[in-house]
Amino acid sequence: MADRVVARLVDAGVRTAFGVHGANIEDVFDAAVRHPRLAPVVAKHEFGAGAMADGHTRLTGEPAAVLTTSGGGALNVVPALGEAYDSRVPVIALIGSAPTPAVGRGGFQDMLDPPDTVDLRAVLSGVVGFCGLVDEPSRLDGVLDEAFATTARGLPAAVILPKDVQTSPWTEAHSPPARPADLASVPAATVDDLADRLAEVSRAGGTVCIWAGEEASRLGLADAVDNLAGLLGAAVVVSPGGRDIGRTSCSGVTGVMGHPSAHRAVRDAQLILAIGCRMSMTDRAGLDDALATIPVVHLGGAPPRTAAAVEHIATQRLTDTVGAIHRSLADRVPGPRPPRVHPIEHLEVVPSATAVGMRDALVTIGDALPTGCAVFADAGNTGAAAIHHLPFGDGRFRVGRFVVALGMGGMGWAIAAGIGSAIAARRPIPGGRVVVIAGDGSFLMHGMEIHTAIEHDAPITLIVLNNDAHGMCVTREARFFPGAPSVNRFRHTDVAGGLDAMFAGVAVRSAPDLETLRAACDELLSRPGPNCIVVNADPDEAPPFAPLIARGTP
């Protein structure tokens, strides 16, 4: 049966399965090792394994699986599945469980006899679109069919596999499930009506603001957004998750880590066209008053997350829908107009006087990034700095993809996700590598996944901004609990020295100043295999996070 499970994964397009080995999942791992078209990757922690599958799927669109045993392994993967669920990433999780005869009889890691045991089905059901138990071999294909149907809708799914089911012989012929019907297109009349409205604003000399988000980023719609903006003379802004859509015509990032110029572009619009942007609080903070008065049309697979009156046009084929709108518009507008660009304006943040300032550090890193590389940014101060300060534009900012997990905002996610993406690449990675930008707090949580990168010689550069603190929490303490003793400052950790001592042959560079940082970037971003740069940072430098700074909020 384990061979059947792996064969079904491969048939569904899965080529990499991340996980942590254990007694109740070892049979599936064994089958994966023996299958010529599936590569198993053993991570250091099940959260890391889940984030690896999530990050790889976001970056490439290729489905990925995560394998864990029951007990602590199953519980450890829950936060990663929660992120995938909130961000609509179709990861499939295969969770081994105690043999069926041991259920309810004190079996080791039994999680299927509530209330005497942890209720694994209930736990997983809260973080996936479907959770199925294969309680006998004949049910395997039916449960897998439903799991794959769930991932086809853009949601993660979990399948619980008791050990005795995994080791059972496969005897039943299975008729493949009927192919799902083609996803419905947006009706032509709806497309033409929207094109009429957009053209009317443009012909009247008004401004359309295109607001692109993570779904547009995953589908690679930067050119399509540029072309649409060129027809309409539109302004373009991006949410944090859609940052790589922004080019030289972009007015900046919206939301709590965004730019005042982007918020001005939204407020100046007569019509807002949101493309693949969920409009969550992180995306829209500071704009609720504008969204209450400006008409908004939202295109995407999932509805927007705002109380404002937004017209949602549901589409699981966003690329086709945007193309259809462009073709319809071409017959309705007189010709291309220059996009309306608001020069990028940054939040006013006082730079550090004792260490490398975050803006200077991120601009230096951005200028050195290889053309087309992928950047994964982690949570906290570092993520806010990367979202806000990395340069825009085809010339200076050459990133192919920018990935950030703001669903659950789990620290350390980007480290594992970036590593998983670099390991699982089936073709040369654009730019030669994946770059992860994380803080020391994130590193201390899940930084040892760098060992997984080393084991697989993954083309990844981990850049750690080390301020010996949970920096965002230090800022919050100062802002909201003045005078109270800090619990978020730590004794110095020599991350560079530690990694250099632990992993022979891995290049690690410490960058106490901008000149050293630039030299380290020039050296390591062009090297093969994994490496690391550690940058000194200041815990007292406020991040570019509007609610936490006194001036310059959008």
Side-chain angles (χ1 to χ4, degrees):
M1 289 290 289
D3 289 325
R4 177 65 179 176
V5 171
V6 168
R8 290 294 309 273
L9 288 177
V10 172
D11 287 346
V14 175
R15 296 294 177 266
T16 311
F18 303 93
V20 178
H21 207 279
N24 287 332
I25 198 64
E26 62 191 0
D27 300 283
V28 176
F29 263 102
D30 176 65
V33 168
R34 289 184 284 102
H35 198 289
R37 296 171 61 196
L38 186 67
V41 174
V42 172
K44 307 289 94 62
H45 189 280
E46 290 85 1
F47 171 85
M52 288 177 183
D54 180 349
H56 177 64
T57 298
R58 293 193 203 211
L59 187 66
T60 67
E62 180 182 283
V66 56
L67 313 179
T68 85
T69 190
S70 52
L75 295 177
N76 282 344
V77 81
V78 168
L81 293 175
E83 172 60 49
Y85 183 83
D86 197 76
S87 295
R88 299 301 188 263
V89 183
V91 170
I92 184 162
L94 302 180
I95 313 294
S97 66
T100 304
V103 172
R105 295 173 173 83
F108 179 62
Q109 294 183 336
D110 177 13
M111 306 176 80
L112 296 177
D113 187 39
D116 186 53
T117 68
V118 170
D119 190 342
L120 180 58
R121 283 171 287 185
V123 171
L124 292 175
S125 293
V127 293
V128 295
F130 166 76
C131 177
L133 169 65
V134 184
D135 52 5
E136 59 180 52
S138 63
R139 293 197 62 227
L140 174 66
D141 277 312
V143 172
L144 287 175
D145 289 347
E146 194 161 353
F148 291 133
T150 301
T151 58
R153 299 198 309 272
L155 290 170
V159 175
I160 302 171
L161 297 164
K163 184 172 176 65
D164 57 307
V165 171
Q166 298 173 47
T167 58
S168 297
W170 172 251
T171 58
E172 183 176 340
H174 173 68
S175 299
R179 291 186 60 185
D182 269 349
L183 298 171
S185 299
V186 174
T190 302
V191 169
D192 290 342
D193 177 67
L194 176 56
D196 281 336
R197 293 159 63 189
L198 293 167
E200 182 180 355
V201 172
S202 181
R203 286 195 298 264
T207 301
V208 172
C209 181
I210 298 175
W211 190 0
E214 184 174 2
E215 187 180 359
S217 168
R218 290 188 214 170
L219 294 171
L221 295 185
D223 287 341
V225 167
D226 263 8
N227 293 338
L228 202 57
L231 269 183
L232 293 167
V236 176
V237 299
V238 294
S239 71
R243 198 188 196 285
D244 51 47
I245 295 293
R247 296 185 172 176
T248 50
S249 59
C250 181
S251 296
V253 179
T254 60
V256 290
M257 295 163 280
H259 303 98
S261 48
H263 286 218
R264 192 170 301 110
V266 172
R267 294 177 185 281
D268 288 350
Q270 281 71 56
L271 177 65
I272 297 167
L273 178 62
I275 300 178
C277 174
R278 295 295 301 280
M279 301 171 64
S280 67
M281 182 61 73
T282 305
D283 297 336
R284 74 174 195 276
L287 288 170
D288 280 343
D289 58 340
L291 298 177
T293 59
I294 302 171
V296 181
V297 179
H298 178 271
L299 306 174
R305 291 170 157 171
T306 174
V310 175
E311 179 184 345
H312 173 53
I313 299 176
T315 173
Q316 297 295 329
R317 301 172 65 172
L318 185 59
T319 301
D320 293 345
T321 301
V322 172
I325 293 169
H326 186 277
R327 290 190 295 273
S328 186
L329 269 171
D331 298 328
R332 289 168 165 77
V333 295
R337 291 174 53 194
R340 182 173 176 80
V341 181
H342 295 257
I344 300 293
E345 180 184 350
H346 292 275
L347 295 170
E348 296 182 20
V349 178
V350 178
S352 170
T354 61
V356 177
M358 286 189 285
R359 180 173 180 176
D360 288 341
L362 268 298
V363 170
T364 299
I365 293 165
D367 284 343
L369 290 171
T371 301
C373 73
V375 173
F376 284 75
D378 215 281
N381 279 15
T382 301
I387 289 166
H388 194 84
H389 292 312
L390 280 174
F392 282 98
D394 296 330
R396 294 180 67 206
F397 186 44
R398 300 178 292 272
V399 167
R401 282 295 310 280
F402 178 88
V403 185
V404 59
L406 294 177
M408 297 290 102
M411 293 172 65
W413 181 93
I415 298 174
I419 289 170
S421 300
I423 289 172
R426 292 291 177 274
R427 50 195 173 278
I429 297 173
R433 64 186 34 245
V434 172
V435 178
V436 174
I437 303 174
D440 56 305
S442 296
F443 175 83
L444 292 172
M445 283 195 177
H446 291 289
M448 284 302 100
E449 291 297 352
I450 191 70
H451 178 271
T452 312
I454 294 166
E455 287 292 296
H456 292 267
D457 198 31
I460 185 164
T461 296
L462 171 60
I463 301 177
V464 179
L465 273 63
N466 184 8
N467 58 15
D468 291 310
H470 286 162
M472 184 74 76
C473 297
V474 168
T475 303
R476 294 185 68 86
E477 285 175 333
R479 177 70 182 270
F480 301 117
F481 305 94
S486 174
V487 296
N488 287 293
R489 298 173 187 268
F490 314 127
R491 286 176 286 185
H492 177 62
T493 300
D494 185 359
V495 175
L499 287 175
D500 189 54
M502 288 179 70
F503 302 117
V506 175
V508 183
R509 301 291 180 265
S510 182
D513 53 58
L514 287 176
E515 182 178 355
T516 310
L517 174 59
R518 180 60 201 235
C521 288
D522 289 343
E523 176 194 4
L524 297 191
L525 291 176
S526 60
R527 273 199 184 189
N531 51 53
C532 180
I533 301 170
V534 181
V535 185
N536 290 353
D538 181 358
D540 291 309
E541 179 179 342
F545 197 84
L548 300 182
I549 58 178
R551 301 176 59 199
T553 56

